[in-house]
Amino acid sequence: MRRSREEAARTRRTAVAAASRLFRERGIEAASVSEVMASLGMTDGGFYRHFESKEALAAEACAAAFAESGLARESSASAKAVLRGYLSEAHRDAPGAGCPLPGSPRRWRASLRRCGRRTLTAFAARSRASGSSCPARGREARFALLAGMVGALALARAVDDEGLSAAILRGTRGFWTRSLEPPKT
């Protein structure tokens, strides 16, 4: 019996979500198509009905991971709230559900570029919404904030010393939290 379009779309979304988690946890090279499909209770053969290649799946998985991370989403959350969540031990310890940037492979560049632009736009919207004369409002500051957040999370995940890892997160979170404060008059 042929599957309906809705079932095929649901399977595709489920495969993207599973791949997104596996790729962030273990890396694209280490997570196989077989593992992604097995997590859905399917065989490798079904994969090519939904995707042209593993690279195509990786690009969709990256976009889904960004959407899930909330970094690029405009919301009522303040920049400080985003910092607290992003630079937390919980985020560091859950790479399968976290930001895809730290440790991302070069082949994700197009997706990363689009998602990075959305994130910077969302940061700008948060800055405008705060209404303060915060010094970390300009484009340069938003680039530095994004780079600092991603770099800190990558380093915190990479080191094998829990204390150092937590200190990297705390230090970066503290620096940017202070930087986002309105200037004292």
Side-chain angles (χ1 to χ4, degrees):
M1 177 168 76
R2 294 195 52 75
R3 299 174 65 188
S4 72
R5 287 181 190 222
E6 291 99 23
E7 288 176 298
R10 189 172 31 254
T11 299
R12 183 182 183 94
R13 284 191 306 272
T14 305
V16 168
S20 179
R21 179 184 49 77
L22 281 171
F23 291 164
R24 285 180 280 171
E25 285 174 353
R26 300 189 16 236
I28 291 177
E29 300 304 323
S32 70
V33 167
S34 297
E35 289 173 296
V36 172
M37 297 311 284
S39 74
L40 304 176
M42 299 175 67
T43 63
D44 296 18
F47 174 81
Y48 292 100
R49 284 189 292 247
H50 299 281
F51 305 96
E52 65 184 55
S53 66
K54 184 177 179 181
E55 287 76 22
L57 173 61
E60 282 191 50
C62 177
F66 264 106
E68 181 184 312
S69 78
L71 269 182
R73 205 175 315 135
E74 289 189 35
S75 73
S76 61
S78 70
K80 290 179 193 175
V82 172
L83 272 166
R84 278 191 302 275
Y86 190 90
L87 294 177
S88 68
E89 287 82 2
H91 187 203
R92 177 202 59 205
D93 296 342
C99 180
L101 273 177
S104 296
R106 295 169 62 93
R107 66 182 80 167
W108 287 21
R109 283 185 177 176
S111 274
L112 292 174
R113 182 181 62 247
R114 286 188 301 276
C115 295
R117 285 183 179 149
R118 282 195 300 270
T119 299
L120 291 166
T121 299
F123 280 171
R126 284 184 183 104
S127 292
R128 283 190 301 274
S130 72
S132 71
S133 58
C134 171
R137 286 172 132 340
R139 187 173 192 226
E140 183 179 78
R142 289 190 299 273
F143 288 149
L145 175 59
L146 179 60
M149 289 173 65
V150 171
L153 186 62
L155 287 171
R157 286 181 178 165
V159 299
D160 62 357
D161 177 329
E162 175 67 30
L164 176 58
S165 176
I168 290 167
L169 295 174
R170 270 192 318 276
T172 305
R173 189 172 55 233
F175 172 84
W176 280 105
T177 298
R178 287 186 304 280
S179 296
L180 292 169
E181 290 290 329
K184 292 187 170 123
T185 54

